[in-house]
Amino acid sequence: MKLLEYVNLEVVQSLKGKDLLTWFDYSSIEVKQLLGLATNLKSLAKSNVHPPLLAGKTVGLIFEKHSTRTRISFEVGINQLGGHAMYMHARDLQIGRGEPISDTGKVLSGYMDGIMIRAHSHKMVEELADAANIPVINGLTDLYHPCQALADVLTIHEVKGYLPGLKLAYVGDGNNVANSLLIACAHLGIEVSIATPKGFEIDENILTKVQKLAVSNGTNIMTTNDPIVAVKDADIIYTDVWTSMGQEEETAARLQAFKGYQINEDLVMHAKSDYLFLHCLPAHREEEVATSIIDGPNSAVFEQAENRLHAQKAILASILS
């Protein structure tokens, strides 16, 4: 049986009311079931069928950081499921004038059915979730980007047809995207080889936890400073921007540190010929990735971006409906 051929509704329904701050808080079977639900919801959407699983529900979307894919995919997903999305930029709320996030969480709990927040600090999101009595979804923090990772593995499964035993090479910054991708892969039996420059490695505490999770699922996480070592025989190659939002003052130093880490024609020669290229977007062409790669036949970055919608619908439907 392939991984996503079934959905156990009891497992999915057991997630009702649960926060999503990091995939460390979910079991491997729960992650697999969410992938199955995302696959089913995508199939229905392609037939223009949108089950009203969020009918009568209002979800608040709080943003401290700019967004294209996160904002639009959440708004569209909530609307397709019959709910109402309310966009709120932090500067327009009282948290922009110093109100504690815990107070905001308590207030919004009386108005809404769930909150998605895209924030600078993961600690802030944890404080919001602790105070709120409605589910909180992490739309991105400095440490994690779980919604992106679910869309990533959904894309990999669609292209490759299976997940356990695949090798994914991540080349670039050991950032929030990398952290969540590693956890998702560890849950699903995907081997990961991650190459980062010295000083930009995965957080040691996160790496220790994810390596333990990977071993429990029969796979492993390898770290290196050599992109060629990471990419050798890879089924999937993944990268992200070298300078994320809020790091603009570090741009020059990062460009110097990441020399040799670009995904280009020379580097991908070390991967399998049918490698899949992924990038969470937005991309800086000719910086972390050559244009010939991101626009080439092995790239699925726009399918990956679309899958943010379907992965998030699965999350929303399971914890709110």
Side-chain angles (χ1 to χ4, degrees), residues 271-301:
K272 292 182 179 177
S273 59
D274 64 344
Y275 77 91
L276 170 66
F277 176 73
L278 298 177
H279 190 304
C280 59
L281 301 182
H284 296 162
R285 283 170 165 77
E286 300 305 326
E287 194 167 297
E288 75 273 4
V289 59
T291 299
S292 63
I293 299 298
I294 194 170
D295 291 337
N298 295 74
S299 175
V301 297

Side-chain angles (χ1 to χ4, degrees), residues 121-148:
S121 166
H122 191 72
K123 182 179 179 182
M124 173 185 176
V125 176
E126 290 177 328
E127 291 176 358
L128 174 65
D130 286 342
N133 58 20
I134 55 177
V136 172
I137 299 170
N138 174 6
L140 176 141
T141 66
D142 56 338
L143 288 182
Y144 300 106
H145 198 353
C147 297
Q148 178 66 57

Side-chain angles (χ1 to χ4, degrees), residues 217-235:
N217 283 308
T219 190
N220 62 83
I221 308 294
M222 185 194 81
T223 62
T224 179
N225 300 120
D226 188 337
I228 294 177
V229 171
V231 168
K232 182 174 174 55
D233 297 325
D235 298 285

